[in-house]
């Protein structure tokens, strides 16, 4: 289980199979909003803001773990 900070683009790539989407028109300043829609095409469901200073922004382990908790994603399957 290689726990290490991930660049934003790699994190988003790993979250896509779990149904996580990026809301591009939301967020304040340099943040993007991650969303797991309740239904296809919906904009309702759990959300999580993530800083975004470009695709190489490092997202650190505590933030990744908070995202996994928020969206009920198993840590073991995510890191494999």
């Amino acid at each position: 289980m290689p726990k290490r900070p991930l660049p934003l683009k790699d994190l988003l790539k790993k979250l896509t199979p779990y149904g996580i989407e990026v809301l591009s028109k939301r967020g304040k300043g340099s943040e993007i909003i991650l969303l797991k829609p309740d239904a296809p095409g919906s904009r309702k469901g759990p959300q999580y803001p993530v800083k975004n200073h470009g695709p190489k922004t490092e997202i650190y382990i505590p933030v990744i773990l908070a995202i996994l908790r928020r969206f009920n994603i198993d840590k073991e399957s995510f890191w494999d």
Side-chain angles (χ1 to χ4, degrees), residues 4-8 10-11 14 57-60 64 78-79:
R4 59 181 173 74
L6 293 173
L8 179 62
D10 292 345
L11 175 66
K14 287 185 76 134
T57 302
E58 288 285 312
I59 307 299
Y60 297 106
I64 295 172
F78 178 80
W79 290 109

Side-chain angles (χ1 to χ4, degrees), residues 8 23 33 38 49 57 70:
L8 179 62
L23 293 179
I33 304 293
D38 289 338
T57 302
R70 178 70 177 162

Side-chain angles (χ1 to χ4, degrees), residues 8 11-12 14-27 31-50 66-68 70-73:
L8 179 62
L11 175 66
L12 296 177
K14 287 185 76 134
L15 288 173
T16 301
Y18 297 100
I20 307 300
E21 300 176 3
V22 176
L23 293 179
S24 58
K25 301 290 182 193
R26 301 264 329 254
E31 289 184 346
I32 60 171
I33 304 293
L34 300 178
L35 167 75
K36 185 171 186 181
D38 289 338
S42 173
R43 291 291 175 226
K44 293 185 179 185
Q47 299 179 1
Y48 196 88
V50 178
I67 291 169
L68 297 179
R70 178 70 177 162
F71 297 124
N72 294 321
I73 297 172

